[in-house]
PDB file of all heavy atoms in Angstrom:
ATOM      1  N   GLN A   1     112.962 122.114  99.370  1.00  0.00           N
ATOM      2  CA  GLN A   1     114.373 122.114  99.755  1.00  0.00           C
ATOM      3  C   GLN A   1     114.795 120.797 100.419  1.00  0.00           C
ATOM      4  O   GLN A   1     115.866 120.719 100.998  1.00  0.00           O
ATOM      5  CB  GLN A   1     114.652 123.290 100.686  1.00  0.00           C
ATOM      6  CG  GLN A   1     114.561 124.625  99.962  1.00  0.00           C
ATOM      7  CD  GLN A   1     114.814 125.761 100.906  1.00  0.00           C
ATOM      8  OE1 GLN A   1     113.943 126.162 101.665  1.00  0.00           O
ATOM      9  NE2 GLN A   1     116.033 126.264 100.872  1.00  0.00           N
ATOM     10  N   MET A   2     113.965 119.795 100.288  1.00  0.00           N
ATOM     11  CA  MET A   2     114.294 118.484 100.843  1.00  0.00           C
ATOM     12  C   MET A   2     114.839 117.587  99.728  1.00  0.00           C
ATOM     13  O   MET A   2     114.231 117.478  98.664  1.00  0.00           O
ATOM     14  CB  MET A   2     113.062 117.835 101.477  1.00  0.00           C
ATOM     15  CG  MET A   2     112.428 118.665 102.587  1.00  0.00           C
ATOM     16  SD  MET A   2     113.561 119.190 103.891  1.00  0.00           S
ATOM     17  CE  MET A   2     114.077 117.646 104.583  1.00  0.00           C
ATOM     18  N   LEU A   3     115.983 116.982  99.967  1.00  0.00           N
ATOM     19  CA  LEU A   3     116.592 116.064  99.018  1.00  0.00           C
ATOM     20  C   LEU A   3     116.127 114.654  99.373  1.00  0.00           C
ATOM     21  O   LEU A   3     116.412 114.140 100.457  1.00  0.00           O
ATOM     22  CB  LEU A   3     118.121 116.143  99.091  1.00  0.00           C
ATOM     23  CG  LEU A   3     118.867 115.256  98.104  1.00  0.00           C
ATOM     24  CD1 LEU A   3     120.074 115.994  97.567  1.00  0.00           C
ATOM     25  CD2 LEU A   3     119.296 113.954  98.752  1.00  0.00           C
ATOM     26  N   SER A   4     115.376 114.044  98.470  1.00  0.00           N
ATOM     27  CA  SER A   4     114.859 112.690  98.690  1.00  0.00           C
ATOM     28  C   SER A   4     115.886 111.661  98.259  1.00  0.00           C
ATOM     29  O   SER A   4     116.667 111.891  97.337  1.00  0.00           O
ATOM     30  CB  SER A   4     113.570 112.483  97.881  1.00  0.00           C
ATOM     31  OG  SER A   4     112.593 113.412  98.261  1.00  0.00           O
ATOM     32  N   PHE A   5     115.854 110.502  98.919  1.00  0.00           N
ATOM     33  CA  PHE A   5     116.781 109.422  98.569  1.00  0.00           C
ATOM     34  C   PHE A   5     116.271 108.105  99.133  1.00  0.00           C
ATOM     35  O   PHE A   5     115.438 108.085 100.036  1.00  0.00           O
ATOM     36  CB  PHE A   5     118.188 109.711  99.106  1.00  0.00           C
ATOM     37  CG  PHE A   5     118.275 109.723 100.615  1.00  0.00           C
ATOM     38  CD1 PHE A   5     118.694 108.597 101.299  1.00  0.00           C
ATOM     39  CD2 PHE A   5     117.943 110.852 101.333  1.00  0.00           C
ATOM     40  CE1 PHE A   5     118.770 108.597 102.680  1.00  0.00           C
ATOM     41  CE2 PHE A   5     118.019 110.866 102.713  1.00  0.00           C
ATOM     42  CZ  PHE A   5     118.429 109.738 103.394  1.00  0.00           C
ATOM     43  N   LEU A   6     116.774 107.012  98.598  1.00  0.00           N
ATOM     44  CA  LEU A   6     116.503 105.683  99.143  1.00  0.00           C
ATOM     45  C   LEU A   6     117.761 105.024  99.690  1.00  0.00           C
ATOM     46  O   LEU A   6     117.672 104.088 100.472  1.00  0.00           O
ATOM     47  CB  LEU A   6     115.897 104.756  98.083  1.00  0.00           C
ATOM     48  CG  LEU A   6     114.491 105.059  97.632  1.00  0.00           C
ATOM     49  CD1 LEU A   6     113.996 103.949  96.708  1.00  0.00           C
ATOM     50  CD2 LEU A   6     113.539 105.234  98.798  1.00  0.00           C
ATOM     51  N   GLU A   7     118.907 105.479  99.241  1.00  0.00           N
ATOM     52  CA  GLU A   7     120.165 104.899  99.702  1.00  0.00           C
ATOM     53  C   GLU A   7     121.207 106.004  99.831  1.00  0.00           C
ATOM     54  O   GLU A   7     121.167 106.995  99.108  1.00  0.00           O
ATOM     55  CB  GLU A   7     120.687 103.850  98.716  1.00  0.00           C
ATOM     56  CG  GLU A   7     119.792 102.651  98.579  1.00  0.00           C
ATOM     57  CD  GLU A   7     120.376 101.574  97.673  1.00  0.00           C
ATOM     58  OE1 GLU A   7     121.266 101.872  96.846  1.00  0.00           O
ATOM     59  OE2 GLU A   7     119.927 100.444  97.781  1.00  0.00           O
ATOM     60  N   ASN A   8     122.120 105.797 100.770  1.00  0.00           N
ATOM     61  CA  ASN A   8     123.310 106.637 100.874  1.00  0.00           C
ATOM     62  C   ASN A   8     124.373 105.841 101.628  1.00  0.00           C
ATOM     63  O   ASN A   8     124.158 104.672 101.966  1.00  0.00           O
ATOM     64  CB  ASN A   8     123.012 107.999 101.511  1.00  0.00           C
ATOM     65  CG  ASN A   8     122.691 107.935 102.989  1.00  0.00           C
ATOM     66  OD1 ASN A   8     123.087 107.021 103.704  1.00  0.00           O
ATOM     67  ND2 ASN A   8     121.961 108.917 103.467  1.00  0.00           N
ATOM     68  N   HIS A   9     125.480 106.452 101.919  1.00  0.00           N
ATOM     69  CA  HIS A   9     126.599 105.739 102.537  1.00  0.00           C
ATOM     70  C   HIS A   9     126.324 105.317 103.982  1.00  0.00           C
ATOM     71  O   HIS A   9     127.048 104.493 104.528  1.00  0.00           O
ATOM     72  CB  HIS A   9     127.866 106.602 102.478  1.00  0.00           C
ATOM     73  CG  HIS A   9     127.762 107.831 103.327  1.00  0.00           C
ATOM     74  ND1 HIS A   9     127.114 108.964 102.892  1.00  0.00           N
ATOM     75  CD2 HIS A   9     128.201 108.082 104.571  1.00  0.00           C
ATOM     76  CE1 HIS A   9     127.157 109.878 103.857  1.00  0.00           C
ATOM     77  NE2 HIS A   9     127.819 109.371 104.882  1.00  0.00           N
ATOM     78  N   ASP A  10     125.287 105.852 104.606  1.00  0.00           N
ATOM     79  CA  ASP A  10     124.969 105.518 105.998  1.00  0.00           C
ATOM     80  C   ASP A  10     123.902 104.437 106.141  1.00  0.00           C
ATOM     81  O   ASP A  10     123.671 103.957 107.246  1.00  0.00           O
ATOM     82  CB  ASP A  10     124.448 106.759 106.740  1.00  0.00           C
ATOM     83  CG  ASP A  10     125.526 107.762 107.044  1.00  0.00           C
ATOM     84  OD1 ASP A  10     126.670 107.349 107.274  1.00  0.00           O
ATOM     85  OD2 ASP A  10     125.220 108.964 107.071  1.00  0.00           O
ATOM     86  N   GLU A  11     123.211 104.128 105.073  1.00  0.00           N
ATOM     87  CA  GLU A  11     122.041 103.263 105.175  1.00  0.00           C
ATOM     88  C   GLU A  11     122.242 101.940 104.430  1.00  0.00           C
ATOM     89  O   GLU A  11     123.091 101.836 103.558  1.00  0.00           O
ATOM     90  CB  GLU A  11     120.811 103.988 104.605  1.00  0.00           C
ATOM     91  CG  GLU A  11     120.552 105.352 105.218  1.00  0.00           C
ATOM     92  CD  GLU A  11     120.228 105.310 106.711  1.00  0.00           C
ATOM     93  OE1 GLU A  11     119.824 104.252 107.227  1.00  0.00           O
ATOM     94  OE2 GLU A  11     120.382 106.352 107.365  1.00  0.00           O
ATOM     95  N   LEU A  12     121.414 100.968 104.787  1.00  0.00           N
ATOM     96  CA  LEU A  12     121.443  99.672 104.101  1.00  0.00           C
ATOM     97  C   LEU A  12     121.086  99.836 102.631  1.00  0.00           C
ATOM     98  O   LEU A  12     120.271 100.684 102.280  1.00  0.00           O
ATOM     99  CB  LEU A  12     120.413  98.728 104.721  1.00  0.00           C
ATOM    100  CG  LEU A  12     120.697  98.190 106.102  1.00  0.00           C
ATOM    101  CD1 LEU A  12     119.473  97.444 106.630  1.00  0.00           C
ATOM    102  CD2 LEU A  12     121.905  97.272 106.084  1.00  0.00           C
ATOM    103  N   ARG A  13     121.680  99.016 101.812  1.00  0.00           N
ATOM    104  CA  ARG A  13     121.259  98.971 100.415  1.00  0.00           C
ATOM    105  C   ARG A  13     119.873  98.353 100.364  1.00  0.00           C
ATOM    106  O   ARG A  13     119.563  97.407 101.085  1.00  0.00           O
ATOM    107  CB  ARG A  13     122.225  98.131  99.563  1.00  0.00           C
ATOM    108  CG  ARG A  13     123.665  98.639  99.476  1.00  0.00           C
ATOM    109  CD  ARG A  13     123.850 100.065  98.981  1.00  0.00           C
ATOM    110  NE  ARG A  13     123.290 100.394  97.702  1.00  0.00           N
ATOM    111  CZ  ARG A  13     123.997 100.758  96.631  1.00  0.00           C
ATOM    112  NH1 ARG A  13     125.313 100.808  96.676  1.00  0.00           N
ATOM    113  NH2 ARG A  13     123.393 101.081  95.528  1.00  0.00           N
ATOM    114  N   VAL A  14     119.019  98.879  99.527  1.00  0.00           N
ATOM    115  CA  VAL A  14     117.648  98.392  99.421  1.00  0.00           C
ATOM    116  C   VAL A  14     117.611  96.905  99.078  1.00  0.00           C
ATOM    117  O   VAL A  14     116.793  96.155  99.594  1.00  0.00           O
ATOM    118  CB  VAL A  14     116.859  99.226  98.392  1.00  0.00           C
ATOM    119  CG1 VAL A  14     115.500  98.629  98.140  1.00  0.00           C
ATOM    120  CG2 VAL A  14     116.712 100.655  98.875  1.00  0.00           C
ATOM    121  N   ALA A  15     118.521  96.463  98.222  1.00  0.00           N
ATOM    122  CA  ALA A  15     118.529  95.068  97.781  1.00  0.00           C
ATOM    123  C   ALA A  15     119.122  94.112  98.815  1.00  0.00           C
ATOM    124  O   ALA A  15     119.075  92.901  98.629  1.00  0.00           O
ATOM    125  CB  ALA A  15     119.298  94.936  96.474  1.00  0.00           C
ATOM    126  N   SER A  16     119.642  94.635  99.915  1.00  0.00           N
ATOM    127  CA  SER A  16     120.259  93.754 100.916  1.00  0.00           C
ATOM    128  C   SER A  16     119.205  92.873 101.581  1.00  0.00           C
ATOM    129  O   SER A  16     118.029  93.243 101.671  1.00  0.00           O
ATOM    130  CB  SER A  16     120.991  94.583 101.978  1.00  0.00           C
ATOM    131  OG  SER A  16     120.052  95.247 102.795  1.00  0.00           O
ATOM    132  N   PRO A  17     119.616  91.707 102.072  1.00  0.00           N
ATOM    133  CA  PRO A  17     118.671  90.815 102.757  1.00  0.00           C
ATOM    134  C   PRO A  17     118.032  91.462 103.990  1.00  0.00           C
ATOM    135  O   PRO A  17     116.914  91.123 104.355  1.00  0.00           O
ATOM    136  CB  PRO A  17     119.530  89.621 103.173  1.00  0.00           C
ATOM    137  CG  PRO A  17     120.742  89.683 102.315  1.00  0.00           C
ATOM    138  CD  PRO A  17     120.949  91.120 101.959  1.00  0.00           C
ATOM    139  N   GLN A  18     118.711  92.413 104.617  1.00  0.00           N
ATOM    140  CA  GLN A  18     118.170  93.073 105.802  1.00  0.00           C
ATOM    141  C   GLN A  18     117.089  94.106 105.460  1.00  0.00           C
ATOM    142  O   GLN A  18     116.415  94.600 106.343  1.00  0.00           O
ATOM    143  CB  GLN A  18     119.289  93.776 106.587  1.00  0.00           C
ATOM    144  CG  GLN A  18     120.348  92.862 107.113  1.00  0.00           C
ATOM    145  CD  GLN A  18     121.434  92.562 106.063  1.00  0.00           C
ATOM    146  OE1 GLN A  18     121.402  93.028 104.927  1.00  0.00           O
ATOM    147  NE2 GLN A  18     122.406  91.755 106.459  1.00  0.00           N
ATOM    148  N   CYS A  19     116.960  94.418 104.187  1.00  0.00           N
ATOM    149  CA  CYS A  19     115.933  95.382 103.764  1.00  0.00           C
ATOM    150  C   CYS A  19     114.941  94.651 102.871  1.00  0.00           C
ATOM    151  O   CYS A  19     114.220  93.785 103.343  1.00  0.00           O
ATOM    152  CB  CYS A  19     116.583  96.577 103.064  1.00  0.00           C
ATOM    153  SG  CYS A  19     115.458  97.963 102.834  1.00  0.00           S
ATOM    154  N   CYS A  20     114.899  94.960 101.596  1.00  0.00           N
ATOM    155  CA  CYS A  20     113.934  94.347 100.676  1.00  0.00           C
ATOM    156  C   CYS A  20     114.385  93.000 100.139  1.00  0.00           C
ATOM    157  O   CYS A  20     113.568  92.159  99.802  1.00  0.00           O
ATOM    158  CB  CYS A  20     113.677  95.264  99.488  1.00  0.00           C
ATOM    159  SG  CYS A  20     112.855  96.773  99.910  1.00  0.00           S
ATOM    160  N   GLY A  21     115.688  92.849  99.998  1.00  0.00           N
ATOM    161  CA  GLY A  21     116.200  91.620  99.414  1.00  0.00           C
ATOM    162  C   GLY A  21     116.094  91.585  97.902  1.00  0.00           C
ATOM    163  O   GLY A  21     116.602  90.668  97.262  1.00  0.00           O
ATOM    164  N   ASP A  22     115.436  92.556  97.332  1.00  0.00           N
ATOM    165  CA  ASP A  22     115.204  92.602  95.888  1.00  0.00           C
ATOM    166  C   ASP A  22     115.115  94.079  95.485  1.00  0.00           C
ATOM    167  O   ASP A  22     114.217  94.786  95.944  1.00  0.00           O
ATOM    168  CB  ASP A  22     113.899  91.881  95.559  1.00  0.00           C
ATOM    169  CG  ASP A  22     113.529  91.918  94.085  1.00  0.00           C
ATOM    170  OD1 ASP A  22     114.191  92.621  93.286  1.00  0.00           O
ATOM    171  OD2 ASP A  22     112.554  91.237  93.724  1.00  0.00           O
ATOM    172  N   PRO A  23     116.017  94.545  94.634  1.00  0.00           N
ATOM    173  CA  PRO A  23     115.995  95.978  94.287  1.00  0.00           C
ATOM    174  C   PRO A  23     114.714  96.407  93.582  1.00  0.00           C
ATOM    175  O   PRO A  23     114.305  97.560  93.702  1.00  0.00           O
ATOM    176  CB  PRO A  23     117.215  96.136  93.379  1.00  0.00           C
ATOM    177  CG  PRO A  23     117.472  94.791  92.828  1.00  0.00           C
ATOM    178  CD  PRO A  23     117.061  93.828  93.912  1.00  0.00           C
ATOM    179  N   PHE A  24     114.053  95.506  92.904  1.00  0.00           N
ATOM    180  CA  PHE A  24     112.858  95.877  92.160  1.00  0.00           C
ATOM    181  C   PHE A  24     111.673  96.162  93.077  1.00  0.00           C
ATOM    182  O   PHE A  24     110.730  96.843  92.686  1.00  0.00           O
ATOM    183  CB  PHE A  24     112.528  94.812  91.114  1.00  0.00           C
ATOM    184  CG  PHE A  24     113.588  94.744  90.055  1.00  0.00           C
ATOM    185  CD1 PHE A  24     114.528  93.724  90.069  1.00  0.00           C
ATOM    186  CD2 PHE A  24     113.688  95.727  89.079  1.00  0.00           C
ATOM    187  CE1 PHE A  24     115.536  93.681  89.122  1.00  0.00           C
ATOM    188  CE2 PHE A  24     114.688  95.690  88.117  1.00  0.00           C
ATOM    189  CZ  PHE A  24     115.617  94.664  88.147  1.00  0.00           C
ATOM    190  N   LYS A  25     111.713  95.668  94.303  1.00  0.00           N
ATOM    191  CA  LYS A  25     110.656  95.978  95.266  1.00  0.00           C
ATOM    192  C   LYS A  25     110.678  97.448  95.670  1.00  0.00           C
ATOM    193  O   LYS A  25     109.706  97.968  96.192  1.00  0.00           O
ATOM    194  CB  LYS A  25     110.790  95.097  96.506  1.00  0.00           C
ATOM    195  CG  LYS A  25     110.432  93.648  96.247  1.00  0.00           C
ATOM    196  CD  LYS A  25     110.537  92.846  97.520  1.00  0.00           C
ATOM    197  CE  LYS A  25     110.170  91.394  97.273  1.00  0.00           C
ATOM    198  NZ  LYS A  25     110.341  90.582  98.499  1.00  0.00           N
ATOM    199  N   ALA A  26     111.791  98.099  95.429  1.00  0.00           N
ATOM    200  CA  ALA A  26     111.926  99.508  95.810  1.00  0.00           C
ATOM    201  C   ALA A  26     111.443 100.471  94.728  1.00  0.00           C
ATOM    202  O   ALA A  26     111.422 101.682  94.959  1.00  0.00           O
ATOM    203  CB  ALA A  26     113.379  99.805  96.154  1.00  0.00           C
ATOM    204  N   LEU A  27     111.069  99.973  93.576  1.00  0.00           N
ATOM    205  CA  LEU A  27     110.649 100.868  92.494  1.00  0.00           C
ATOM    206  C   LEU A  27     109.497 101.795  92.900  1.00  0.00           C
ATOM    207  O   LEU A  27     109.567 102.999  92.625  1.00  0.00           O
ATOM    208  CB  LEU A  27     110.305 100.080  91.236  1.00  0.00           C
ATOM    209  CG  LEU A  27     111.512  99.480  90.501  1.00  0.00           C
ATOM    210  CD1 LEU A  27     111.059  98.627  89.328  1.00  0.00           C
ATOM    211  CD2 LEU A  27     112.476 100.558  90.053  1.00  0.00           C
ATOM    212  N   PRO A  28     108.442 101.305  93.550  1.00  0.00           N
ATOM    213  CA  PRO A  28     107.382 102.247  93.956  1.00  0.00           C
ATOM    214  C   PRO A  28     107.891 103.328  94.912  1.00  0.00           C
ATOM    215  O   PRO A  28     107.496 104.493  94.805  1.00  0.00           O
ATOM    216  CB  PRO A  28     106.343 101.357  94.645  1.00  0.00           C
ATOM    217  CG  PRO A  28     106.585  99.997  94.089  1.00  0.00           C
ATOM    218  CD  PRO A  28     108.065  99.921  93.839  1.00  0.00           C
ATOM    219  N   ALA A  29     108.784 102.955  95.821  1.00  0.00           N
ATOM    220  CA  ALA A  29     109.342 103.938  96.756  1.00  0.00           C
ATOM    221  C   ALA A  29     110.183 104.969  96.019  1.00  0.00           C
ATOM    222  O   ALA A  29     110.170 106.153  96.368  1.00  0.00           O
ATOM    223  CB  ALA A  29     110.169 103.242  97.828  1.00  0.00           C
ATOM    224  N   MET A  30     110.906 104.550  95.006  1.00  0.00           N
ATOM    225  CA  MET A  30     111.714 105.490  94.233  1.00  0.00           C
ATOM    226  C   MET A  30     110.823 106.458  93.468  1.00  0.00           C
ATOM    227  O   MET A  30     111.139 107.646  93.358  1.00  0.00           O
ATOM    228  CB  MET A  30     112.652 104.741  93.281  1.00  0.00           C
ATOM    229  CG  MET A  30     113.686 105.632  92.659  1.00  0.00           C
ATOM    230  SD  MET A  30     114.771 106.333  93.927  1.00  0.00           S
ATOM    231  CE  MET A  30     115.726 107.459  92.963  1.00  0.00           C
ATOM    232  N   VAL A  31     109.703 105.976  92.961  1.00  0.00           N
ATOM    233  CA  VAL A  31     108.749 106.856  92.286  1.00  0.00           C
ATOM    234  C   VAL A  31     108.226 107.900  93.276  1.00  0.00           C
ATOM    235  O   VAL A  31     108.152 109.088  92.955  1.00  0.00           O
ATOM    236  CB  VAL A  31     107.595 106.052  91.649  1.00  0.00           C
ATOM    237  CG1 VAL A  31     106.474 106.968  91.179  1.00  0.00           C
ATOM    238  CG2 VAL A  31     108.108 105.201  90.502  1.00  0.00           C
ATOM    239  N   VAL A  32     107.895 107.468  94.485  1.00  0.00           N
ATOM    240  CA  VAL A  32     107.435 108.414  95.507  1.00  0.00           C
ATOM    241  C   VAL A  32     108.535 109.429  95.814  1.00  0.00           C
ATOM    242  O   VAL A  32     108.290 110.632  95.833  1.00  0.00           O
ATOM    243  CB  VAL A  32     106.990 107.674  96.790  1.00  0.00           C
ATOM    244  CG1 VAL A  32     106.733 108.658  97.928  1.00  0.00           C
ATOM    245  CG2 VAL A  32     105.754 106.836  96.519  1.00  0.00           C
ATOM    246  N   ALA A  33     109.746 108.939  96.056  1.00  0.00           N
ATOM    247  CA  ALA A  33     110.864 109.834  96.391  1.00  0.00           C
ATOM    248  C   ALA A  33     111.115 110.859  95.291  1.00  0.00           C
ATOM    249  O   ALA A  33     111.427 112.010  95.568  1.00  0.00           O
ATOM    250  CB  ALA A  33     112.133 109.024  96.657  1.00  0.00           C
ATOM    251  N   ALA A  34     110.957 110.446  94.050  1.00  0.00           N
ATOM    252  CA  ALA A  34     111.257 111.322  92.922  1.00  0.00           C
ATOM    253  C   ALA A  34     110.126 112.284  92.573  1.00  0.00           C
ATOM    254  O   ALA A  34     110.369 113.295  91.912  1.00  0.00           O
ATOM    255  CB  ALA A  34     111.608 110.488  91.692  1.00  0.00           C
ATOM    256  N   THR A  35     108.912 112.001  93.032  1.00  0.00           N
ATOM    257  CA  THR A  35     107.783 112.826  92.597  1.00  0.00           C
ATOM    258  C   THR A  35     107.016 113.497  93.736  1.00  0.00           C
ATOM    259  O   THR A  35     106.101 114.263  93.479  1.00  0.00           O
ATOM    260  CB  THR A  35     106.783 111.992  91.771  1.00  0.00           C
ATOM    261  OG1 THR A  35     106.270 110.933  92.584  1.00  0.00           O
ATOM    262  CG2 THR A  35     107.442 111.430  90.525  1.00  0.00           C
ATOM    263  N   ILE A  36     107.390 113.242  94.968  1.00  0.00           N
ATOM    264  CA  ILE A  36     106.621 113.773  96.091  1.00  0.00           C
ATOM    265  C   ILE A  36     106.806 115.282  96.265  1.00  0.00           C
ATOM    266  O   ILE A  36     105.996 115.945  96.901  1.00  0.00           O
ATOM    267  CB  ILE A  36     106.946 113.018  97.392  1.00  0.00           C
ATOM    268  CG1 ILE A  36     105.828 113.227  98.407  1.00  0.00           C
ATOM    269  CG2 ILE A  36     108.322 113.399  97.925  1.00  0.00           C
ATOM    270  CD1 ILE A  36     105.833 112.247  99.553  1.00  0.00           C
ATOM    271  N   SER A  37     107.867 115.820  95.701  1.00  0.00           N
ATOM    272  CA  SER A  37     108.106 117.263  95.814  1.00  0.00           C
ATOM    273  C   SER A  37     108.882 117.747  94.599  1.00  0.00           C
ATOM    274  O   SER A  37     109.256 116.964  93.736  1.00  0.00           O
ATOM    275  CB  SER A  37     108.893 117.574  97.088  1.00  0.00           C
ATOM    276  OG  SER A  37     110.255 117.241  96.924  1.00  0.00           O
ATOM    277  N   THR A  38     109.163 119.031  94.593  1.00  0.00           N
ATOM    278  CA  THR A  38     109.972 119.602  93.520  1.00  0.00           C
ATOM    279  C   THR A  38     111.447 119.653  93.905  1.00  0.00           C
ATOM    280  O   THR A  38     112.262 120.137  93.130  1.00  0.00           O
ATOM    281  CB  THR A  38     109.492 121.021  93.162  1.00  0.00           C
ATOM    282  OG1 THR A  38     109.572 121.839  94.342  1.00  0.00           O
ATOM    283  CG2 THR A  38     108.073 120.998  92.624  1.00  0.00           C
ATOM    284  N   GLY A  39     111.775 119.158  95.092  1.00  0.00           N
ATOM    285  CA  GLY A  39     113.168 119.112  95.522  1.00  0.00           C
ATOM    286  C   GLY A  39     113.931 118.043  94.757  1.00  0.00           C
ATOM    287  O   GLY A  39     113.345 117.205  94.062  1.00  0.00           O
ATOM    288  N   PRO A  40     115.238 118.041  94.892  1.00  0.00           N
ATOM    289  CA  PRO A  40     116.062 117.066  94.178  1.00  0.00           C
ATOM    290  C   PRO A  40     115.917 115.666  94.752  1.00  0.00           C
ATOM    291  O   PRO A  40     115.492 115.479  95.896  1.00  0.00           O
ATOM    292  CB  PRO A  40     117.492 117.591  94.383  1.00  0.00           C
ATOM    293  CG  PRO A  40     117.413 118.369  95.656  1.00  0.00           C
ATOM    294  CD  PRO A  40     116.036 118.956  95.708  1.00  0.00           C
ATOM    295  N   VAL A  41     116.274 114.689  93.942  1.00  0.00           N
ATOM    296  CA  VAL A  41     116.306 113.299  94.390  1.00  0.00           C
ATOM    297  C   VAL A  41     117.702 112.763  94.091  1.00  0.00           C
ATOM    298  O   VAL A  41     118.273 113.039  93.037  1.00  0.00           O
ATOM    299  CB  VAL A  41     115.201 112.446  93.722  1.00  0.00           C
ATOM    300  CG1 VAL A  41     115.355 112.383  92.223  1.00  0.00           C
ATOM    301  CG2 VAL A  41     115.151 111.058  94.314  1.00  0.00           C
ATOM    302  N   MET A  42     118.264 112.032  95.033  1.00  0.00           N
ATOM    303  CA  MET A  42     119.608 111.494  94.860  1.00  0.00           C
ATOM    304  C   MET A  42     119.529 110.041  94.391  1.00  0.00           C
ATOM    305  O   MET A  42     118.828 109.224  94.986  1.00  0.00           O
ATOM    306  CB  MET A  42     120.384 111.552  96.187  1.00  0.00           C
ATOM    307  CG  MET A  42     121.795 110.991  96.061  1.00  0.00           C
ATOM    308  SD  MET A  42     122.806 111.234  97.543  1.00  0.00           S
ATOM    309  CE  MET A  42     122.030 110.124  98.698  1.00  0.00           C
ATOM    310  N   VAL A  43     120.235 109.749  93.329  1.00  0.00           N
ATOM    311  CA  VAL A  43     120.410 108.383  92.851  1.00  0.00           C
ATOM    312  C   VAL A  43     121.808 107.989  93.268  1.00  0.00           C
ATOM    313  O   VAL A  43     122.789 108.624  92.894  1.00  0.00           O
ATOM    314  CB  VAL A  43     120.235 108.300  91.315  1.00  0.00           C
ATOM    315  CG1 VAL A  43     120.499 106.894  90.820  1.00  0.00           C
ATOM    316  CG2 VAL A  43     118.843 108.763  90.931  1.00  0.00           C
TER     317      VAL A  43
END
């Protein structure tokens, strides 16, 4: 019942300089978010 996500309206964009600076660096994290449970994942 946990909804996984990497971004939302309250958080920094992953590609922002204050975070990863490169959206492709977040791909492993997105795989984890999408497969760690059977709950939904938000894109």
Side-chain angles (χ1 to χ4, degrees):
Q1 291 179 281
M2 302 307 297
L3 182 141
S4 301
F5 66 97
L6 290 187
E7 296 184 339
N8 70 25
H9 67 278
D10 287 327
E11 306 297 340
L12 289 172
R13 298 304 304 244
V14 173
S16 71
Q18 298 84 0
C19 193
C20 294
D22 178 352
F24 294 103
K25 289 182 180 177
L27 288 176
M30 191 63 187
V31 169
V32 171
T35 61
I36 200 164
S37 76
T38 58
V41 62
M42 180 173 70
V43 177

